[in-house]
Amino acid sequence: DKVVKVIGKSVRIRKGYTTLSKTVKIAHRGEEYPFVAVAPSGWYQIEAGRGESYITSKAKYTKLIEV
């Protein structure tokens, strides 16, 4: 299994995989979320509550790790 670890101070979790999508939650450094898939934009789809959730895949904000 894989998780997405937040390494930025705070990172927005969104309903879609662009910065234009609505923010559903703020993730904080050290938090981990179950990885689902890579979206067409390259963002990570994660499990973070109800419905689809996405977080940026930029290396300064998040890291995909094996658990």
Side-chain angles (χ1 to χ4, degrees):
D1 288 351
K2 296 179 183 178
V3 295
V4 176
K5 183 168 186 166
V6 179
I7 56 176
K9 185 176 179 181
S10 61
V11 183
R12 294 174 187 266
I13 296 174
R14 299 181 181 269
K15 275 186 130 8
Y17 44 82
T18 73
T19 56
L20 300 175
S21 299
K22 182 180 176 189
T23 299
V24 294
K25 184 177 179 179
I26 302 292
H28 300 283
R29 183 180 291 135
E31 293 179 351
E32 295 180 352
Y33 296 90
F35 170 79
V36 177
V38 175
S41 66
W43 283 35
Y44 298 134
Q45 182 179 352
I46 59 173
E47 291 179 18
R50 299 173 59 188
E52 291 185 5
S53 300
Y54 297 89
I55 195 165
T56 182
S57 57
K58 287 186 178 178
K60 68 180 181 177
Y61 298 117
T62 59
K63 183 177 185 179
L64 184 63
I65 51 178
E66 291 277 345
V67 290

